[in-house]
Amino acid sequence: CGSKLVSKRGRYGSFLACGNYPECKYIKNTKQKEEPKLTGEMCPQCGHELVERKSRFGTTFVGCSNYPKCRYIKKEAKKAKEGTAKKTTKKTTRKTQSSEDEA
């Protein structure tokens, strides 16, 4: 319509909207997607390069650059969580010490 674009903030973040709002309902998203990073590895299914991408939840994963034709995703080994190891309490420590004293 030729009017200036105005920066606005909505419930899903900031966006650009036409300053002549009721007559013109043009909007443009200002959020940019991150470009995938090349890993240098090749896809075992189709032979294209693997890239590191960001999921919709914010985690990174390695997948085929030929997406959506090839849906290969490289599985990563699960990392052990810290603090999940069995904790020793004072009682178990005392029992262990007293049984060592008896021996």
Side-chain angles (χ1 to χ4, degrees):
C1 72
S3 296
K4 289 188 176 184
L5 293 178
V6 182
S7 179
K8 301 218 176 202
R9 189 148 178 72
R11 89 189 221 200
Y12 299 111
S14 60
F15 62 96
L16 293 174
C18 183
N20 195 12
Y21 168 62
E23 291 81 36
C24 178
K25 296 187 173 155
Y26 175 80
I27 60 169
K28 183 177 181 181
N29 190 358
T30 57
K31 193 182 277 188
Q32 297 286 327
K33 274 193 169 183
E34 241 182 73
E35 287 296 316
K37 299 172 192 162
L38 297 174
T39 61
E41 298 177 62
M42 301 308 271
C43 176
Q45 291 181 354
C46 71
H48 283 81
E49 269 196 271
L50 294 179
V51 291
E52 188 175 295
R53 298 179 185 263
K54 199 171 230 185
S55 73
R56 63 183 176 156
F57 302 109
T59 60
T60 57
F61 67 96
V62 177
C64 184
S65 62
N66 196 21
Y67 178 82
K69 291 180 182 176
C70 177
R71 295 179 177 263
Y72 175 79
I73 296 175
K74 184 177 179 181
K75 303 283 184 193
E76 293 187 22
K78 290 189 178 184
K79 297 175 185 173
K81 291 183 181 179
E82 292 179 23
T84 57
K86 191 174 181 181
K87 295 180 181 178
T88 57
T89 60
K90 291 181 181 179
K91 290 181 181 180
T92 57
T93 308
R94 286 183 190 151
K95 287 180 184 177
T96 310
Q97 288 175 352
S98 62
S99 61
E100 288 174 2
D101 293 338
E102 293 172 4

